[in-house]
Amino acid sequence: MAQISLTFPDGNVRDFAKGVTPAEVAESIAISLAKKAISATVNGTHWDLQWPIEADATIAINTMSDEAPALELIRHDLAHIMARAVQELWPDVKVTIGPVIENGWYYDFDRKEPFTPEDLGAIEAKMKDIINARDPVRTEVWSREKAVAYYKERGEEYKVELVGMIPDDGQPIRMYWHGDWQDLCRGPHLQNTGQVPNNSFKLMSVAGAYWRGDSDRAMLQRIYGVGFKDPKALKAHLTMLEEAAKRDHRKLGREMDLFHMQEEAPGQIFWHPNGWKIYTTLQDYMRRQQEEDGYVEVNTPQVVNRKLWEASGHWDNYQDNMFIVEVDEEHAREKTLNALKPMNCPCHVQVFNQGLKSYRDLPLRMAEFGSCNRYEPSGALHGIMRVRGFTQDDAHIFCTDEQVEEETKKFVTFLAKIYAHLGFDQWKVKLSTRPEKRVGTEESWDKAEADLANGIRAAGYDFEIQEGEGAFYGPKLEFVLTDAIGRDWQCGTLQIDPNLPERLDANYIGQDGAKHRPVMLHRAVLGSFERFIGILIESHAGKLPFWLAPRQVVVTTIVSEADDYANDVVAALKAAGVRAEADTRNEKINYKVREHSLGKVPVILAVGAREIDEKTVSVRRLGEKQTAVMSLDDIVAELKLAACPPDLK
RNA sequence: GCUGCUGUAGCUCAGAGGUAGAGCACUCCCUUGGUAAGGGAGAGGUCGAGAGUUCAAUUCUCUCCAGCAGCACCA
């Protein structure tokens, strides 16, 4: 019989019969290992214990203490167990696909009636029965024809389609049995359903999802679940979800009195004084930064005739997502159609096109806090993060081909400084390269992609590549920052666009005296103020850095005799540039401290008879229990510095 | 936009085929209290909008609007 050599993690090499399974390998090492084994890693691939190994390979036997394979198997088996439970409860339900995702899995079903929360409870109970039955998991390799015939007979048309989509490149079509129930699956799986912990998973929600992610195809019902190795990990996950919910900017926005939204203006924000203070503080900061970095600021119209949008190409491509404004002008034969601007670039080209530009004017960095409106699909709206009216920290850099790399470097450096100022020290760059459908020559794409890559490197950063994700006219950079609880947000962007200058006929006079086409770089650091403020709120759980906090200090009185002194303290703080207010209400100090703590005011000062006598204040910082007594002069000096934006320190 | 769920006082929520309730917030009074809710009184609602069924609809049905979760979308 043919032999193969298997290399173990410790470097040992042993010979086995060709076609040996990892289960047999484990058994040959120790019965105890065979009992604990859940899967193997063969040549770096996650491998079922039942799959034969046909050639020399490296092998490692996995047990439940191997975190990554264990969780993958548990979640994958839970997906199958859930599908089986659903079909046992409702035999007419059709199964589709059920992959492992972060923290759990989902499975999509085709069923006429919606699943209710009570159904989820029933499914969960049935899943526990299946686990407790410890059904053996068995796998077989089937021919394509057999699999198709099997599913056709059962009316599982989604599975028929899935079998048809498996590429015919020799990879086996596998069937897995959990007891009597069977599913098409590439595996691997655990060896019996009882290996799945029966107390460490939870079905979370049910929602619609399109078959194959295509909005033109059937709407299925997706059930989400989370699964872990032990109840403690499940509990920790659920606690984390509660923590994330507490940070929800919609909830904090109300509690901190930052903004509200209402039916009459869906997807648009009514900023309250507190929220607007954050907004303007951030905008003032960005304006200073841009001026320092060589930008000029402009402002362009909100309502623009369709002619410009036709010229820019937006009318054809995005009309459904634009707010159209019909103007019925007096004496006009026809009504004119206009659109609220969904972006600023066409208008910026209009500014550029005024007067003749020389190569000496380039690079021209044109910035606008551009207020845009887009008719986003109703289902896309989310608090202040995804809205129909927003303001970008937008700018377009008009430059020559030769200047692209240097401008890229300059921008990355600029963005890095701003993210650092705003407290985001963890972020990454993604380079999206040429898509299948594109315009321009291969040489121009080669150069554009190289310019971006070199620009990032020159700024001292590394990047990931997103193959084929660029715009049809040029490659782009995406800047993704990580917030305080580890969530990623794409905020900044830099896109090379030779297309729009062409369409809108922008040009400059070169050194040779002839007309040339500039390149346009679209770029933003924050993305939109609305969304970025949402991210700031959630990342900080409402406890914004002092300089951005809308209410920085409240001076509370303990007795009404201290009212005058409190007002003096407020005046001193205001004179030092600190946002301060007095709370002289007829309430107890406990009450005031609680209220302002919930309002996320970073510093609460309390004053009573002692403080008046000593010209001091009692200082309580947000999140701290203990208080400290400080002289008025000291606290004013300290907070004056804290209130100073990071670029002015 | 699609699937499902939701819409009752400023907020969080209860309620029932006979036109409404709690807690907090708000106003006033008492209380001057030393670091996360002192006490009392009062005011506050076209029950998301429209139509239908009914003697009677906030409650049942339909349509619309908005919100939530997910999907799709995000120039």
Side-chain angles (χ1 to χ4, degrees), chain A residues 134 379 465:
Chain A
R134 304 185 63 82
I465 289 187

Side-chain angles (χ1 to χ4, degrees), chain A residues 565 605 611 614-619 621 628-636 638:
Chain A
Y565 181 59
L605 302 181
E611 285 76 13
E614 297 166 2
K615 251 187 128 17
T616 57
V617 292
S618 165
V619 184
R621 296 168 205 276
V629 175
M630 291 177 70
S631 78
L632 181 56
D633 291 343
D634 285 351
I635 193 71
V636 169
E638 182 199 316

Side-chain angles (χ1 to χ4, degrees), chain A residues 376-605:
Chain A
E376 301 285 4
S378 57
L381 302 178
H382 179 84
I384 65 172
M385 300 272 213
R386 187 82 183 270
V387 286
R388 289 183 177 155
F390 56 93
T391 303
Q392 298 173 314
D393 64 316
D394 200 10
H396 295 92
I397 301 170
F398 295 88
C399 63
T400 67
D401 276 338
E402 291 69 41
Q403 291 167 333
V404 171
E405 182 182 326
E406 179 60 28
E407 285 305 306
T408 302
K409 174 189 169 194
K410 188 174 167 63
F411 176 66
V412 175
T413 306
F414 179 64
L415 172 138
K417 177 176 71 173
I418 291 169
Y419 284 1
H421 277 162
L422 295 173
F424 295 105
D425 43 15
Q426 217 188 322
W427 54 275
K428 53 183 177 262
V429 194
K430 296 180 181 177
L431 168 59
S432 296
T433 58
R434 66 196 80 184
E436 275 183 35
K437 278 183 69 178
R438 59 177 180 265
V439 297
T441 63
E442 291 310 290
E443 295 72 48
S444 69
W445 278 93
D446 288 343
K447 177 174 177 353
E449 288 169 8
D451 283 346
L452 290 182
N454 292 335
I456 306 168
R457 287 197 203 97
Y461 296 91
D462 220 343
F463 58 89
E464 297 167 19
I465 289 187
Q466 293 185 310
E467 208 72 58
E469 295 290 312
F472 72 91
Y473 49 75
K476 65 178 174 186
L477 300 180
E478 288 176 357
F479 300 85
V480 180
L481 57 82
T482 304
D483 76 8
I485 55 172
R487 296 178 301 180
D488 281 351
W489 304 92
Q490 196 236 301
C491 294
T493 183
L494 174 71
Q495 288 189 41
I496 301 186
D497 184 0
N499 183 57
L500 199 61
E502 183 76 33
R503 294 192 72 123
L504 298 179
D505 194 29
N507 49 59
Y508 67 92
I509 307 301
Q511 219 163 348
D512 56 3
K515 275 189 181 177
H516 296 275
R517 198 66 83 195
V519 177
M520 213 175 161
L521 305 180
H522 307 258
R523 45 106 293 170
V525 178
L526 309 179
S528 88
F529 282 93
E530 290 75 3
R531 181 160 173 276
F532 199 86
I533 289 170
I535 293 168
L536 279 170
I537 293 168
E538 298 206 353
S539 186
H540 291 100
K543 299 170 189 166
L544 294 170
F546 194 83
W547 71 282
L548 278 172
R551 303 170 67 207
Q552 295 174 321
V553 182
V554 176
V555 183
T556 58
T557 50
I558 294 165
V559 291
S560 50
E561 282 73 49
D563 288 1
D564 288 344
Y565 181 59
N567 288 325
D568 292 346
V569 173
V570 166
L573 286 165
K574 279 187 169 170
V578 178
R579 293 189 279 276
E581 60 203 89
D583 180 358
T584 56
R585 289 176 303 170
N586 175 15
E587 295 291 351
K588 294 201 167 166
I589 188 67
N590 286 310
Y591 182 92
K592 295 181 185 180
V593 165
R594 175 183 155 81
E595 186 174 283
H596 299 125
S597 296
L598 289 173
K600 307 284 190 280
V601 176
V603 174
I604 299 171
L605 302 181

Side-chain angles (χ1 to χ4, degrees), chain A residues 301-307 309 314-315 319 321-327 336-342 373:
Chain A
Q302 222 52 241
V303 182
V304 179
N305 192 283
R306 65 185 281 182
K307 284 183 213 156
W309 306 114
H314 292 102
W315 192 264
Q319 199 181 144
N321 294 307
M322 292 200 275
F323 280 96
I324 307 295
V325 183
E326 198 176 87
V327 179
T336 61
L337 282 185
N338 304 270
L340 294 185
K341 71 173 169 185
N373 290 273

Side-chain angles (χ1 to χ4, degrees), chain A residues 238-292:
Chain A
L238 297 178
T239 305
M240 192 277 289
L241 289 182
E242 281 169 31
E243 285 305 312
K246 281 185 201 160
R247 294 168 174 256
D248 191 313
H249 74 280
R250 294 166 297 188
K251 180 174 143 71
L252 288 167
R254 193 164 47 237
E255 290 172 0
M256 296 169 69
D257 195 16
L258 303 179
F259 58 82
H260 85 273
M261 305 177 87
Q262 62 186 51
E263 272 195 31
E264 289 79 357
Q268 293 171 91
I269 305 168
F270 293 81
W271 286 103
H272 295 10
N274 287 342
W276 194 243
K277 185 50 81 178
I278 303 175
Y279 189 111
T280 54
T281 302
L282 189 59
Q283 192 175 61
D284 291 347
Y285 163 80
M286 288 303 292
R287 180 170 280 132
R288 287 193 302 272
Q289 291 299 303
Q290 289 178 353
E291 271 175 25
E292 189 185 305

Side-chain angles (χ1 to χ4, degrees), chain A residues 142-182:
Chain A
W142 280 18
S143 72
R144 186 176 298 264
E145 295 69 33
K146 186 175 174 187
V148 168
Y150 178 87
Y151 279 127
K152 272 199 175 143
E153 189 193 324
R154 277 160 183 76
E156 296 277 14
E157 66 256 29
Y158 298 97
K159 288 292 184 186
V160 173
E161 189 174 334
L162 283 177
V163 173
M165 284 185 21
I166 297 173
D168 197 3
D169 58 0
Q171 66 167 299
I173 293 177
R174 292 184 192 281
M175 290 292 174
Y176 269 86
W177 271 262
H178 284 209
D180 297 333
W181 190 83
Q182 164 271 24

